[in-house]
Coordinates of all heavy atoms in Angstrom, one line a residue:
M21 N -6.6 14.2 -11.5 CA -6.1 13.9 -10.2 C -4.6 13.6 -10.3 O -4.2 13.0 -11.2 CB -6.9 12.6 -9.7 CG -6.4 12.2 -8.3 SD -7.1 10.7 -7.7 CE -8.8 10.6 -8.2
A22 N -3.9 14.1 -9.3 CA -2.4 13.9 -9.3 C -2.1 12.5 -9.0 O -2.9 11.8 -8.4 CB -1.8 14.9 -8.3
R23 N -0.9 12.1 -9.5 CA -0.5 10.7 -9.2 C -0.3 10.5 -7.7 O 0.3 11.3 -7.0 CB 0.9 10.5 -9.9 CG 1.5 9.2 -9.5 CD 2.7 8.9 -10.3 NE 2.3 8.0 -11.4 CZ 3.1 7.3 -12.1 NH1 4.4 7.4 -12.0 NH2 2.6 6.5 -13.0
K24 N -0.8 9.4 -7.2 CA -0.7 9.0 -5.8 C 0.4 8.1 -5.6 O 0.8 7.3 -6.5 CB -2.0 8.4 -5.3 CG -3.2 9.3 -5.5 CD -3.1 10.5 -4.6 CE -4.4 11.3 -4.6 NZ -4.5 12.3 -3.6
R25 N 1.0 8.0 -4.4 CA 2.1 7.2 -4.1 C 1.8 6.3 -2.9 O 1.4 6.8 -1.9 CB 3.4 8.0 -3.8 CG 3.9 8.7 -5.1 CD 5.0 9.6 -4.8 NE 5.5 10.2 -6.0 CZ 4.9 11.4 -6.5 NH1 3.9 11.9 -5.9 NH2 5.4 11.9 -7.6
V26 N 2.0 5.0 -3.1 CA 1.7 4.0 -2.1 C 3.0 3.2 -1.8 O 3.7 2.9 -2.7 CB 0.6 2.9 -2.6 CG1 0.4 1.8 -1.6 CG2 -0.7 3.6 -2.9
L27 N 3.2 3.0 -0.5 CA 4.4 2.2 -0.1 C 3.8 0.9 0.6 O 3.1 1.0 1.5 CB 5.2 3.0 1.0 CG 6.5 2.3 1.5 CD1 7.5 2.1 0.3 CD2 7.1 3.1 2.6
V28 N 4.2 -0.2 0.0 CA 3.8 -1.5 0.5 C 5.0 -2.0 1.3 O 6.1 -2.1 0.8 CB 3.5 -2.5 -0.7 CG1 3.1 -3.8 -0.1 CG2 2.4 -1.9 -1.5
V29 N 4.8 -2.3 2.6 CA 5.9 -2.8 3.4 C 5.6 -4.1 4.0 O 4.4 -4.5 4.3 CB 6.1 -1.8 4.6 CG1 6.6 -0.4 4.1 CG2 4.9 -1.6 5.5
C30 N 6.6 -4.9 4.0 CA 6.6 -6.3 4.6 C 7.9 -6.5 5.3 O 8.7 -5.6 5.4 CB 6.3 -7.3 3.6 SG 7.6 -7.7 2.4
G31 N 8.1 -7.7 5.8 CA 9.3 -8.0 6.6 C 10.6 -7.9 5.8 O 11.6 -7.4 6.3
T32 N 10.5 -8.3 4.5 CA 11.8 -8.3 3.7 C 11.7 -7.3 2.6 O 12.7 -7.0 2.0 CB 12.1 -9.7 3.1 OG1 11.0 -10.0 2.2 CG2 12.2 -10.7 4.2
G33 N 10.5 -6.8 2.2 CA 10.4 -5.9 1.1 C 10.6 -6.5 -0.3 O 10.9 -5.9 -1.2
I34 N 10.5 -7.9 -0.3 CA 10.7 -8.6 -1.6 C 9.4 -9.3 -2.0 O 8.6 -8.8 -2.8 CB 11.9 -9.5 -1.5 CG1 13.1 -8.7 -1.1 CG2 12.1 -10.2 -2.8 CD1 14.3 -9.6 -0.7
A35 N 9.3 -10.5 -1.6 CA 8.3 -11.4 -2.2 C 6.8 -11.0 -1.9 O 6.0 -10.8 -2.8 CB 8.5 -12.9 -1.7
T36 N 6.5 -10.9 -0.6 CA 5.1 -10.6 -0.3 C 4.7 -9.2 -0.8 O 3.6 -9.1 -1.4 CB 4.9 -10.7 1.3 OG1 5.3 -12.0 1.7 CG2 3.4 -10.5 1.6
S37 N 5.5 -8.3 -0.6 CA 5.2 -6.9 -1.0 C 5.1 -6.8 -2.6 O 4.3 -6.0 -3.1 CB 6.2 -5.9 -0.5 OG 7.5 -6.1 -1.0
T38 N 5.8 -7.7 -3.3 CA 5.7 -7.7 -4.7 C 4.3 -8.2 -5.2 O 3.7 -7.5 -6.1 CB 6.8 -8.6 -5.4 OG1 8.1 -8.1 -5.0 CG2 6.7 -8.7 -6.9
V39 N 3.9 -9.2 -4.6 CA 2.5 -9.8 -4.9 C 1.4 -8.7 -4.6 O 0.5 -8.5 -5.4 CB 2.3 -11.1 -4.2 CG1 0.8 -11.5 -4.3 CG2 3.3 -12.1 -4.7
V40 N 1.5 -8.2 -3.4 CA 0.5 -7.2 -2.9 C 0.6 -5.9 -3.8 O -0.5 -5.4 -4.2 CB 0.7 -6.8 -1.5 CG1 -0.2 -5.7 -1.0 CG2 0.5 -8.1 -0.6
A41 N 1.8 -5.5 -4.1 CA 1.9 -4.3 -5.0 C 1.2 -4.5 -6.3 O 0.5 -3.6 -6.9 CB 3.4 -3.9 -5.2
H42 N 1.4 -5.7 -6.9 CA 0.8 -6.0 -8.2 C -0.7 -6.0 -8.1 O -1.4 -5.4 -9.0 CB 1.3 -7.4 -8.7 CG 0.7 -7.8 -10.0 ND1 1.1 -7.2 -11.2 CD2 -0.2 -8.7 -10.3 CE1 0.4 -7.7 -12.1 NE2 -0.4 -8.7 -11.6
K43 N -1.3 -6.6 -7.1 CA -2.7 -6.7 -6.9 C -3.3 -5.3 -6.7 O -4.3 -4.9 -7.3 CB -3.1 -7.5 -5.7 CG -2.9 -9.0 -6.0 CD -3.2 -9.8 -4.7 CE -3.0 -11.3 -5.0 NZ -3.3 -12.1 -3.8
I44 N -2.6 -4.5 -5.9 CA -3.1 -3.1 -5.7 C -3.0 -2.3 -7.0 O -4.0 -1.6 -7.4 CB -2.3 -2.4 -4.6 CG1 -2.5 -3.0 -3.3 CG2 -2.6 -0.9 -4.6 CD1 -1.6 -2.5 -2.2
G45 N -1.9 -2.4 -7.7 CA -1.8 -1.7 -9.0 C -2.8 -2.1 -10.0 O -3.4 -1.2 -10.7
E46 N -3.2 -3.4 -10.1 CA -4.2 -3.8 -11.1 C -5.6 -3.2 -10.7 O -6.3 -2.8 -11.5 CB -4.2 -5.3 -11.2 CG -3.0 -5.9 -11.9 CD -3.0 -5.5 -13.3 OE1 -4.0 -5.5 -14.0 OE2 -1.9 -5.1 -13.8
F47 N -5.9 -3.3 -9.4 CA -7.2 -2.8 -8.9 C -7.3 -1.3 -9.2 O -8.3 -0.8 -9.7 CB -7.3 -3.1 -7.4 CG -8.6 -2.5 -6.8 CD1 -9.8 -3.2 -7.0 CD2 -8.5 -1.4 -6.1 CE1 -10.9 -2.6 -6.5 CE2 -9.7 -0.9 -5.5 CZ -10.9 -1.5 -5.7
L48 N -6.3 -0.5 -8.8 CA -6.4 0.9 -9.0 C -6.4 1.3 -10.5 O -7.0 2.3 -10.8 CB -5.2 1.6 -8.2 CG -5.3 1.4 -6.7 CD1 -4.0 2.0 -6.1 CD2 -6.6 2.0 -6.1
K49 N -5.7 0.6 -11.3 CA -5.7 0.8 -12.7 C -7.1 0.7 -13.3 O -7.6 1.5 -14.0 CB -4.8 -0.1 -13.5 CG -4.7 0.1 -14.9 CD -3.7 -0.9 -15.6 CE -3.6 -0.7 -17.1 NZ -2.7 -1.7 -17.7
Q50 N -7.8 -0.3 -12.8 CA -9.2 -0.5 -13.2 C -10.1 0.6 -12.8 O -11.1 1.0 -13.4 CB -9.8 -1.8 -12.7 CG -9.2 -3.0 -13.3 CD -9.6 -4.3 -12.6 OE1 -10.4 -4.3 -11.7 NE2 -9.1 -5.4 -13.1
R51 N -9.7 1.3 -11.6 CA -10.5 2.4 -11.1 C -10.1 3.7 -11.7 O -10.6 4.8 -11.4 CB -10.3 2.5 -9.6 CG -10.9 1.4 -8.8 CD -12.5 1.6 -8.9 NE -13.2 0.6 -8.2 CZ -13.6 0.7 -6.9 NH1 -13.4 1.8 -6.3 NH2 -14.3 -0.2 -6.3
G52 N -9.1 3.7 -12.5 CA -8.6 4.9 -13.2 C -7.8 5.8 -12.2 O -7.7 7.0 -12.5
I53 N -7.2 5.2 -11.2 CA -6.4 6.0 -10.2 C -4.9 5.8 -10.6 O -4.4 4.7 -10.7 CB -6.6 5.5 -8.8 CG1 -8.1 5.7 -8.4 CG2 -5.7 6.2 -7.8 CD1 -8.5 5.1 -7.1
D54 N -4.3 7.0 -10.9 CA -2.9 7.0 -11.3 C -2.0 6.8 -10.1 O -2.1 7.6 -9.1 CB -2.5 8.3 -12.0 CG -1.1 8.3 -12.5 OD1 -0.5 7.3 -12.8 OD2 -0.6 9.5 -12.7
V55 N -1.2 5.7 -10.0 CA -0.5 5.4 -8.8 C 0.9 4.9 -9.1 O 1.1 4.3 -10.1 CB -1.3 4.4 -7.9 CG1 -1.4 3.0 -8.7 CG2 -0.7 4.2 -6.6
E56 N 1.8 5.3 -8.2 CA 3.1 4.8 -8.2 C 3.2 3.9 -6.9 O 2.9 4.4 -5.8 CB 4.2 5.9 -8.1 CG 5.6 5.4 -8.0 CD 6.6 6.6 -7.7 OE1 6.3 7.7 -8.2 OE2 7.6 6.3 -7.1
I57 N 3.6 2.7 -7.0 CA 3.7 1.8 -5.9 C 5.2 1.4 -5.7 O 5.9 1.0 -6.6 CB 2.9 0.5 -6.1 CG1 1.4 0.9 -6.4 CG2 3.0 -0.4 -4.9 CD1 0.5 -0.2 -6.7
R58 N 5.6 1.7 -4.4 CA 6.9 1.3 -4.0 C 6.9 0.2 -3.0 O 5.8 0.0 -2.3 CB 7.7 2.5 -3.4 CG 7.8 3.7 -4.4 CD 8.4 4.8 -3.7 NE 8.2 6.1 -4.4 CZ 8.4 7.3 -3.9 NH1 8.7 7.4 -2.7 NH2 8.2 8.3 -4.7
Q59 N 8.0 -0.5 -2.8 CA 8.1 -1.6 -1.8 C 9.2 -1.3 -0.9 O 10.2 -0.7 -1.3 CB 8.3 -2.9 -2.5 CG 7.2 -3.3 -3.4 CD 7.6 -4.4 -4.4 OE1 7.3 -4.3 -5.6 NE2 8.2 -5.4 -3.9
A60 N 9.1 -1.8 0.4 CA 10.2 -1.6 1.3 C 10.1 -2.6 2.5 O 9.0 -3.1 2.8 CB 10.1 -0.2 1.9
K61 N 11.2 -2.8 3.1 CA 11.3 -3.5 4.4 C 10.7 -2.6 5.4 O 10.9 -1.4 5.4 CB 12.7 -3.9 4.8 CG 13.4 -4.8 3.9 CD 14.8 -5.0 4.4 CE 15.6 -5.8 3.4 NZ 17.0 -6.0 3.8
V62 N 9.9 -3.2 6.3 CA 9.3 -2.3 7.3 C 10.3 -1.6 8.2 O 10.1 -0.4 8.5 CB 8.3 -3.1 8.2 CG1 9.1 -4.1 9.1 CG2 7.4 -2.2 9.1
M63 N 11.5 -2.2 8.4 CA 12.5 -1.5 9.2 C 13.3 -0.4 8.5 O 14.0 0.3 9.0 CB 13.5 -2.5 9.8 CG 12.8 -3.5 10.7 SD 11.8 -2.8 12.1 CE 13.1 -2.2 13.1
E64 N 13.1 -0.4 7.2 CA 13.8 0.6 6.3 C 12.9 1.6 5.6 O 13.3 2.2 4.7 CB 14.7 -0.1 5.3 CG 15.8 -1.0 6.0 CD 16.6 -1.8 5.0 OE1 16.3 -1.8 3.8 OE2 17.5 -2.5 5.4
M65 N 11.7 1.7 6.1 CA 10.7 2.5 5.3 C 10.9 4.0 5.6 O 10.4 4.9 4.9 CB 9.3 2.1 5.6 CG 8.8 2.3 7.0 SD 7.1 1.8 7.2 CE 7.0 2.1 8.9
G66 N 11.5 4.4 6.7 CA 11.5 5.8 7.2 C 11.8 6.8 6.1 O 11.0 7.7 5.9
P67 N 13.0 6.7 5.4 CA 13.3 7.7 4.4 C 12.3 7.8 3.3 O 12.2 8.8 2.6 CB 14.7 7.3 3.9 CG 15.2 6.3 5.0 CD 14.0 5.7 5.6
Q68 N 11.6 6.7 3.0 CA 10.7 6.7 1.9 C 9.3 7.3 2.1 O 8.5 7.4 1.2 CB 10.5 5.2 1.4 CG 11.8 4.6 0.9 CD 11.6 3.2 0.3 OE1 10.7 3.1 -0.5 NE2 12.4 2.3 0.8
L69 N 9.1 7.6 3.4 CA 7.7 8.1 3.7 C 7.5 9.6 3.3 O 6.3 10.0 3.3 CB 7.5 8.0 5.3 CG 7.4 6.6 5.8 CD1 7.4 6.6 7.3 CD2 6.2 5.9 5.2
A70 N 8.5 10.3 3.0 CA 8.3 11.8 2.8 C 7.2 12.1 1.8 O 6.4 13.0 2.0 CB 9.7 12.4 2.3
D71 N 7.2 11.4 0.6 CA 6.2 11.8 -0.4 C 5.1 10.7 -0.6 O 4.5 10.7 -1.6 CB 6.9 12.1 -1.7 CG 7.6 11.0 -2.3 OD1 7.8 10.0 -1.6 OD2 8.0 11.1 -3.5
I72 N 4.9 9.9 0.4 CA 3.9 8.8 0.3 C 2.6 9.3 0.7 O 2.4 10.0 1.7 CB 4.4 7.6 1.2 CG1 5.7 7.0 0.6 CG2 3.3 6.5 1.3 CD1 5.5 6.4 -0.8
D73 N 1.5 8.8 0.0 CA 0.2 9.1 0.4 C -0.5 8.1 1.3 O -1.4 8.4 2.0 CB -0.7 9.3 -0.9 CG -0.2 10.4 -1.8 OD1 -0.2 11.6 -1.3 OD2 0.2 10.2 -2.9
L74 N 0.0 6.8 1.1 CA -0.6 5.7 1.9 C 0.4 4.6 2.0 O 1.2 4.3 1.1 CB -1.8 5.2 1.1 CG -2.6 4.0 1.7 CD1 -3.3 4.4 2.9 CD2 -3.6 3.4 0.6
V75 N 0.3 4.0 3.2 CA 1.2 2.8 3.5 C 0.2 1.6 3.6 O -0.8 1.7 4.3 CB 2.0 3.0 4.8 CG1 2.7 1.7 5.1 CG2 2.9 4.1 4.7
V76 N 0.6 0.5 2.9 CA -0.1 -0.8 3.1 C 0.9 -1.7 3.7 O 1.9 -2.0 3.2 CB -0.6 -1.3 1.7 CG1 -1.2 -2.7 1.9 CG2 -1.5 -0.4 1.0
A77 N 0.6 -2.1 5.0 CA 1.5 -2.9 5.8 C 1.0 -4.3 5.9 O -0.1 -4.6 6.3 CB 1.6 -2.3 7.2
I78 N 1.9 -5.2 5.5 CA 1.7 -6.7 5.6 C 2.4 -7.3 6.8 O 2.7 -8.4 6.8 CB 2.1 -7.3 4.3 CG1 1.5 -6.6 3.1 CG2 1.6 -8.8 4.2 CD1 2.4 -6.5 2.0
T79 N 2.8 -6.4 7.7 CA 3.4 -6.8 8.9 C 3.1 -5.8 10.0 O 2.5 -4.8 9.7 CB 5.0 -6.9 8.7 OG1 5.6 -7.5 9.8 CG2 5.6 -5.5 8.4
L80 N 3.4 -6.1 11.2 CA 3.2 -5.2 12.3 C 4.1 -3.9 12.1 O 5.3 -4.1 11.8 CB 3.5 -5.8 13.6 CG 2.5 -6.9 14.1 CD1 3.0 -7.5 15.4 CD2 1.1 -6.4 14.2
M81 N 3.5 -2.8 12.3 CA 4.3 -1.5 12.2 C 5.0 -1.3 13.6 O 4.4 -1.4 14.6 CB 3.4 -0.4 11.9 CG 2.6 -0.5 10.6 SD 3.7 -0.4 9.2 CE 4.1 1.3 9.2
P82 N 6.3 -1.1 13.5 CA 7.1 -0.9 14.8 C 6.8 0.4 15.5 O 7.1 0.5 16.7 CB 8.5 -1.0 14.3 CG 8.5 -0.5 12.9 CD 7.1 -0.9 12.4
R83 N 6.2 1.3 14.8 CA 6.0 2.6 15.4 C 4.9 3.3 14.7 O 4.5 3.0 13.5 CB 7.2 3.5 15.4 CG 7.7 3.7 14.0 CD 9.1 4.5 14.0 NE 9.6 4.5 12.7 CZ 9.4 5.5 11.8 NH1 8.5 6.4 12.0 NH2 10.0 5.4 10.6
A84 N 4.3 4.3 15.3 CA 3.3 5.1 14.6 C 4.0 6.0 13.6 O 5.1 6.5 13.8 CB 2.6 6.0 15.6
I85 N 3.3 6.2 12.5 CA 3.8 7.1 11.4 C 2.7 8.2 11.1 O 1.6 8.0 11.5 CB 4.2 6.4 10.2 CG1 3.1 5.6 9.6 CG2 5.4 5.4 10.5 CD1 3.4 5.0 8.2
D86 N 3.1 9.2 10.4 CA 2.2 10.3 10.2 C 1.5 10.2 8.8 O 1.1 11.2 8.2 CB 2.9 11.7 10.3 CG 4.0 11.9 9.2 OD1 4.4 10.9 8.6 OD2 4.5 13.0 9.1
K87 N 1.4 9.0 8.3 CA 0.7 8.7 7.0 C -0.4 7.7 7.3 O -0.3 6.9 8.3 CB 1.7 8.0 6.0 CG 2.9 8.9 5.7 CD 2.6 10.1 5.0 CE 3.9 10.9 4.7 NZ 3.6 12.0 3.8
P88 N -1.4 7.7 6.5 CA -2.5 6.7 6.7 C -1.9 5.3 6.4 O -1.1 5.1 5.5 CB -3.6 7.0 5.7 CG -3.1 8.2 5.0 CD -1.7 8.6 5.5
V89 N -2.3 4.3 7.2 CA -1.9 2.9 7.1 C -3.1 2.0 6.9 O -4.0 2.1 7.7 CB -1.0 2.5 8.3 CG1 -0.6 1.0 8.1 CG2 0.2 3.4 8.5
V90 N -3.0 1.1 5.9 CA -4.0 0.1 5.7 C -3.4 -1.2 6.0 O -2.3 -1.5 5.5 CB -4.6 0.2 4.2 CG1 -5.5 -1.0 4.0 CG2 -5.3 1.5 4.0
N91 N -4.1 -2.0 6.7 CA -3.7 -3.4 7.1 C -3.7 -4.2 5.8 O -4.8 -4.4 5.2 CB -4.6 -4.0 8.1 CG -4.2 -5.4 8.5 OD1 -3.3 -6.0 7.9 ND2 -4.9 -6.0 9.5
G92 N -2.6 -4.8 5.3 CA -2.5 -5.5 4.1 C -2.7 -7.0 4.3 O -2.6 -7.8 3.3
M93 N -2.9 -7.5 5.5 CA -3.1 -9.0 5.7 C -4.2 -9.6 4.9 O -4.0 -10.8 4.5 CB -3.3 -9.3 7.2 CG -2.0 -9.1 8.0 SD -0.6 -10.1 7.3 CE -1.2 -11.8 7.6
P94 N -5.3 -8.9 4.6 CA -6.3 -9.5 3.7 C -5.7 -10.0 2.3 O -6.3 -10.9 1.7 CB -7.3 -8.5 3.5 CG -7.3 -7.7 4.8 CD -5.8 -7.7 5.1
F95 N -4.6 -9.4 1.9 CA -4.0 -9.8 0.6 C -3.4 -11.2 0.8 O -3.3 -12.0 -0.2 CB -2.9 -8.9 0.2 CG -3.5 -7.6 -0.4 CD1 -3.5 -6.5 0.5 CD2 -3.9 -7.5 -1.7 CE1 -4.1 -5.3 0.0 CE2 -4.4 -6.3 -2.1 CZ -4.5 -5.2 -1.3
I96 N -3.1 -11.6 2.0 CA -2.5 -12.9 2.3 C -3.6 -13.9 2.6 O -3.6 -15.0 2.1 CB -1.5 -12.8 3.5 CG1 -0.4 -11.8 3.2 CG2 -0.9 -14.2 3.8 CD1 0.3 -11.9 2.0
T97 N -4.5 -13.5 3.4 CA -5.6 -14.5 3.9 C -6.8 -14.5 3.0 O -7.5 -15.5 3.0 CB -6.1 -14.0 5.3 OG1 -6.7 -12.8 5.2 CG2 -4.9 -14.0 6.3
G98 N -7.0 -13.5 2.2 CA -8.2 -13.4 1.4 C -9.4 -12.9 2.1 O -10.4 -12.6 1.5
V99 N -9.3 -12.8 3.5 CA -10.5 -12.4 4.3 C -10.6 -10.9 4.2 O -9.7 -10.1 4.5 CB -10.3 -12.8 5.8 CG1 -11.4 -12.3 6.6 CG2 -10.2 -14.3 5.9
N100 N -11.8 -10.4 3.8 CA -12.1 -9.0 3.6 C -11.2 -8.3 2.6 O -11.1 -7.1 2.6 CB -12.0 -8.3 5.0 CG -13.0 -8.7 6.0 OD1 -14.1 -9.0 5.6 ND2 -12.6 -8.8 7.2
L101 N -10.7 -9.0 1.6 CA -9.9 -8.4 0.6 C -10.7 -7.3 -0.2 O -10.1 -6.2 -0.4 CB -9.3 -9.4 -0.4 CG -8.4 -8.9 -1.4 CD1 -7.3 -8.0 -0.9 CD2 -7.8 -10.0 -2.3
P102 N -11.9 -7.6 -0.7 CA -12.6 -6.5 -1.4 C -12.8 -5.2 -0.6 O -12.6 -4.1 -1.1 CB -14.0 -7.1 -1.7 CG -13.7 -8.6 -1.7 CD -12.7 -8.8 -0.7
A103 N -13.1 -5.4 0.7 CA -13.2 -4.2 1.6 C -11.9 -3.5 1.7 O -11.8 -2.2 1.8 CB -13.7 -4.6 2.9
T104 N -10.8 -4.2 1.8 CA -9.5 -3.6 1.9 C -9.1 -2.8 0.6 O -8.6 -1.7 0.7 CB -8.4 -4.7 2.2 OG1 -8.7 -5.3 3.4 CG2 -7.0 -4.1 2.3
L105 N -9.4 -3.4 -0.5 CA -9.1 -2.7 -1.8 C -10.0 -1.4 -1.9 O -9.5 -0.4 -2.3 CB -9.4 -3.6 -3.0 CG -8.4 -4.7 -3.2 CD1 -9.0 -5.8 -4.1 CD2 -7.1 -4.2 -3.7
E106 N -11.2 -1.5 -1.4 CA -12.1 -0.3 -1.4 C -11.5 0.8 -0.5 O -11.5 2.0 -0.8 CB -13.5 -0.6 -1.0 CG -14.2 -1.4 -2.1 CD -14.4 -0.7 -3.4 OE1 -14.5 0.6 -3.4 OE2 -14.5 -1.4 -4.4
E107 N -11.0 0.3 0.7 CA -10.4 1.3 1.6 C -9.2 2.0 1.0 O -9.0 3.2 1.2 CB -10.0 0.5 2.9 CG -9.4 1.4 4.0 CD -9.0 0.7 5.2 OE1 -9.1 -0.5 5.3 OE2 -8.5 1.4 6.1
I108 N -8.4 1.2 0.3 CA -7.2 1.8 -0.4 C -7.6 2.8 -1.4 O -7.1 4.0 -1.5 CB -6.3 0.7 -1.0 CG1 -5.7 -0.1 0.1 CG2 -5.3 1.3 -2.0 CD1 -5.0 -1.4 -0.4
A109 N -8.6 2.5 -2.2 CA -9.1 3.4 -3.3 C -9.7 4.7 -2.6 O -9.5 5.8 -3.1 CB -10.2 2.7 -4.1
K110 N -10.4 4.5 -1.5 CA -11.0 5.7 -0.8 C -9.9 6.6 -0.3 O -10.0 7.8 -0.5 CB -11.8 5.2 0.4 CG -12.5 6.3 1.1 CD -13.3 5.8 2.3 CE -13.8 6.9 3.1 NZ -14.6 6.4 4.3
H111 N -8.8 6.1 0.2 CA -7.7 6.9 0.7 C -7.1 7.7 -0.5 O -6.7 8.8 -0.3 CB -6.6 6.1 1.4 CG -6.9 5.8 2.8 ND1 -6.9 6.7 3.8 CD2 -7.2 4.6 3.4 CE1 -7.1 6.1 5.0 NE2 -7.4 4.8 4.7
L112 N -7.0 7.1 -1.6 CA -6.3 7.7 -2.7 C -7.2 8.6 -3.6 O -6.7 9.3 -4.5 CB -5.7 6.6 -3.6 CG -4.6 5.8 -2.8 CD1 -4.1 4.7 -3.7 CD2 -3.5 6.6 -2.3
S113 N -8.5 8.5 -3.4 CA -9.4 9.3 -4.2 C -9.7 10.7 -3.6 O -10.4 11.5 -4.2 CB -10.8 8.5 -4.3 OG -10.6 7.4 -5.0
T114 N -9.1 10.9 -2.4 CA -9.4 12.2 -1.8 C -8.3 13.2 -2.1 O -7.3 12.9 -2.5 CB -9.5 12.1 -0.2 OG1 -8.3 11.5 0.3 CG2 -10.7 11.2 0.1

């Protein structure tokens, strides 16, 4: 399977996205999914979308994009986190 690319976006592209990116990376590594994870501010993500397979958003998206988006709030709240991780893996396994 080819390497997949995930873009984790939050308000500042620093603290929250770093924690989420780490959790996603560890989970996907255990699943044997080769992934490159990038982080960005939601307002500056446009140019980075060209080769992205999936966006994990920890904030409201300001506009529709042509990439699949997974709601990343469960990484903050803990609510439905296992299901969210499975959803991410499903998107990247196709």
Side-chain angles (χ1 to χ4, degrees):
M21 180 185 322
R23 174 173 259 198
K24 300 294 184 169
R25 291 176 181 82
V26 175
L27 182 64
V28 179
V29 296
C30 69
T32 64
I34 302 170
T36 306
S37 61
T38 299
V39 171
V40 172
H42 179 73
K43 288 180 182 179
I44 292 170
E46 288 297 314
F47 175 78
L48 295 175
K49 182 178 179 182
Q50 292 173 359
R51 290 291 181 96
I53 298 172
D54 185 23
V55 66
E56 174 187 335
I57 302 175
R58 301 177 195 163
Q59 299 164 227
K61 294 178 186 178
V62 70
M63 298 307 287
E64 298 176 354
M65 69 178 175
Q68 297 186 49
L69 291 172
D71 63 347
I72 293 297
D73 297 299
L74 177 69
V75 175
V76 177
I78 310 142
T79 188
L80 293 175
M81 298 293 285
R83 59 185 171 87
I85 59 172
D86 65 346
K87 303 291 179 171
V89 178
V90 171
N91 178 356
M93 285 307 294
F95 288 97
I96 307 305
T97 66
V99 177
N100 293 325
L101 182 55
T104 300
L105 287 166
E106 290 298 331
E107 182 181 0
I108 291 168
K110 181 180 174 184
H111 277 289
L112 299 176
S113 296
T114 58

